[in-house]
Amino acid sequence: MIKTLLLGAALLFIAILLMGIKVFFSKKGEFPNTHIGGSKAMRDKGISCATSQDRDAARRESPIEKLLTEKL
């Protein structure tokens, strides 16, 4: 039982180490940006993530607010 747990923990450690070898041992190592906004091809097509679109929409003034402020 203990041998199985130790073997499993060792295999897990080796798998994590191999997946992150570039990140752990490179001076400029970083995990890849998997965010939609991090893709140049998506930005070129004008596609962004929902969170960014919501943030941008909240920053813009709505047409109704614009009409209300103009009348005052």
Side-chain angles (χ1 to χ4, degrees):
M1 177 74 174
I2 296 294
K3 287 182 182 180
T4 307
L5 288 175
L6 289 176
L7 181 62
L11 288 175
L12 183 63
F13 175 76
I14 291 170
I16 291 172
L17 186 66
L18 289 175
M19 285 190 296
I21 202 157
K22 181 180 177 185
V23 175
F24 297 137
F25 298 114
S26 175
K27 288 184 180 178
K28 293 184 179 180
E30 57 185 35
F31 288 103
N33 184 3
T34 57
H35 194 267
I36 292 174
S39 170
K40 184 177 180 332
M42 294 293 220
R43 282 192 311 260
D44 290 344
K45 292 179 181 180
I47 300 171
S48 62
C49 73
T51 305
S52 299
Q53 289 176 346
D54 288 343
R55 183 183 61 236
D56 294 341
R59 288 182 182 163
R60 288 189 294 251
E61 189 176 17
S62 74
I64 295 172
E65 290 175 353
K66 206 179 267 189
L67 286 173
L68 291 174
T69 56
E70 287 176 2
K71 290 184 179 181
L72 296 176

